[in-house]
Amino acid sequence: MKEKFIDRKDQQANKIFERRTLASDYRTLRPLLKPGLSVLDVGCGTGTLTNEVASHIGDGTIIGLDNTASFIDIGKEHYAETENLDLVCDNIFNYQPPHQFDLIITARTMQWLTDIPKALKLFKSWLKPGGQISILDYNHTTIVWDPAPPETMQAFYRTFLRWRADAGMNNQVADEVATLLQQQGFESIETINADQVYHKGEADFETNLAIWIKVAQSKQMVTEGYISDELRLQAIADYTHWIETEARSMTLKMNDVRAYV
Ligand SMILES: C[S@@+](CC[C@H](N)C(=O)[O-])C[C@H]1O[C@@H](n2cnc3c(N)ncnc32)[C@H](O)[C@@H]1O
């Protein structure tokens, strides 16, 4: 994955992660949470959602796993008092879980992996017999802005998708992971729509739409020759103006894909 890109976005990313709630950012998960469950949250970021899950599983336990040390450090500090929560800094592909889990959840993380089948194979081995997985992720190719954003941002976004695809990341994971789960032998696979829709007038509308400004603030695509710095900066300026004036809504296309072993 593009480690440097993530590193440079650490500070802004953790602010986004810290605003997350199950009700607005993983609203399909709540019915799966039962007292006594043993849960693993893969790619937990700063552990905000992980900590909320901990409050819904009674005497159950949850481990949050993430390979960005600064996120885990923040989570450990914020949630030190949550007794049934453990945050661990490790890479999915190195991690040795201490036990098997009833439930594995992973939100917005498969989008960053370059070998999703390998990760799913590991997850299968980490689940107890009859255990369940819930994968919440994006289809970046079907994002809907209303009205269309400025051409400079559209060009930036097209380049962003090409850059991701060239790096081996799946831009359509939300719509492809069910097939990948099937190929790994998971059963009872179910896809639940989990689109995130932001409308003008709602709290945090501008902040939520500004996600693409944050992405464009990274110079990595310039450094790697994908885009000129002029176009990147123009996209930021035009899109900022568009958010303040014309923007009515943005829909991030997402699914929660669930399956059992
Ligand atoms: C977009 S964030 C999602 C955070 C949180 N789940 C949420 O929904 O807000 C993706 C997280 O996956 C982590 N990540 C990416 N690749 C990983 C890997 N190979 N092993 C462990 N964590 C990884 C990143 O560090 C990042 O915190």
Side-chain angles (χ1 to χ4, degrees):
M1 64 178 286
K2 299 279 183 179
E3 300 284 357
K4 282 189 206 151
F5 179 74
I6 298 288
D7 286 349
R8 280 209 284 275
K9 290 174 64 220
D10 272 10
Q11 285 202 320
Q12 283 163 340
N14 70 40
K15 290 195 191 109
I16 295 178
F17 299 161
E18 285 166 36
R19 285 180 22 232
R20 299 244 195 259
T21 64
L22 290 180
S24 60
D25 303 295
Y26 204 155
R27 59 184 188 276
T28 52
L29 182 65
R30 188 65 186 84
L32 303 188
L33 303 178
K34 307 271 179 333
L37 285 186
S38 165
V39 185
L40 175 69
D41 181 3
V42 177
C44 64
T46 56
T48 313
L49 292 174
T50 331
N51 185 60
E52 199 180 337
V53 171
S55 71
H56 292 294
I57 54 174
D59 60 352
T61 57
I62 182 162
I63 297 175
L65 173 70
D66 203 287
N67 67 346
T68 303
S70 58
F71 294 165
I72 293 294
D73 289 346
I74 291 169
K76 278 183 187 278
E77 198 182 315
H78 285 188
Y79 311 119
E81 287 178 10
T82 307
E83 288 180 3
N84 59 344
L85 166 70
D86 188 15
L87 297 175
V88 176
C89 184
D90 206 345
N91 193 303
I92 294 165
F93 300 104
N94 296 330
Y95 182 57
Q96 304 280 335
H99 51 73
Q100 287 183 306
F101 302 93
D102 299 301
L103 174 66
I104 294 179
I105 62 174
T106 180
R108 306 173 180 84
T109 298
M110 294 301 98
Q111 58 162 333
W112 292 108
L113 301 187
T114 53
D115 195 344
I116 296 174
K118 189 174 172 188
L120 297 183
K121 193 174 188 155
L122 287 171
F123 299 161
K124 197 172 169 211
S125 73
W126 297 348
L127 281 166
K128 293 179 190 174
Q132 189 176 21
I133 188 164
S134 161
I135 300 174
L136 178 72
D137 229 304
Y138 298 102
N139 184 334
H140 290 299
T141 68
T142 49
I143 186 171
V144 181
W145 281 284
D146 177 32
E151 177 51 37
T152 47
M153 179 47 88
Q154 291 184 47
F156 176 87
Y157 189 77
R158 282 193 299 272
T159 310
F160 175 63
L161 296 192
R162 184 162 58 84
W163 173 82
R164 284 177 44 87
D166 287 354
M169 295 178 232
N170 188 326
N171 285 325
Q172 309 181 91
V173 59
D175 289 308
E176 295 186 357
V177 76
T179 303
L180 299 176
L181 283 163
Q182 193 176 25
Q183 286 166 356
Q184 293 301 326
F186 282 85
E187 292 174 6
S188 306
I189 300 162
E190 187 186 6
T191 298
I192 300 167
N193 181 281
D195 289 352
Q196 297 244 232
V197 190
Y198 307 113
H199 292 286
K200 190 178 181 79
E202 291 169 355
D204 294 332
F205 173 72
E206 285 81 8
T207 314
N208 287 319
L209 268 67
I211 177 78
W212 303 115
I213 294 173
K214 295 193 170 84
V215 171
Q217 278 164 348
S218 164
K219 289 185 85 170
Q220 183 148 357
M221 293 201 303
V222 175
T223 314
E224 294 183 14
Y226 275 82
I227 198 166
S228 71
D229 210 32
E230 290 71 27
L231 177 53
R232 182 183 73 87
L233 293 171
Q234 196 60 52
I236 292 174
D238 293 347
Y239 186 70
T240 302
H241 179 70
W242 176 83
I243 292 175
E244 288 164 0
T245 55
E246 289 175 63
R248 287 192 293 265
S249 72
M250 177 176 80
T251 304
L252 300 177
K253 304 296 280 187
M254 301 188 81
N255 287 324
D256 175 359
V257 184
R258 298 170 183 179
Y260 292 88
V261 290

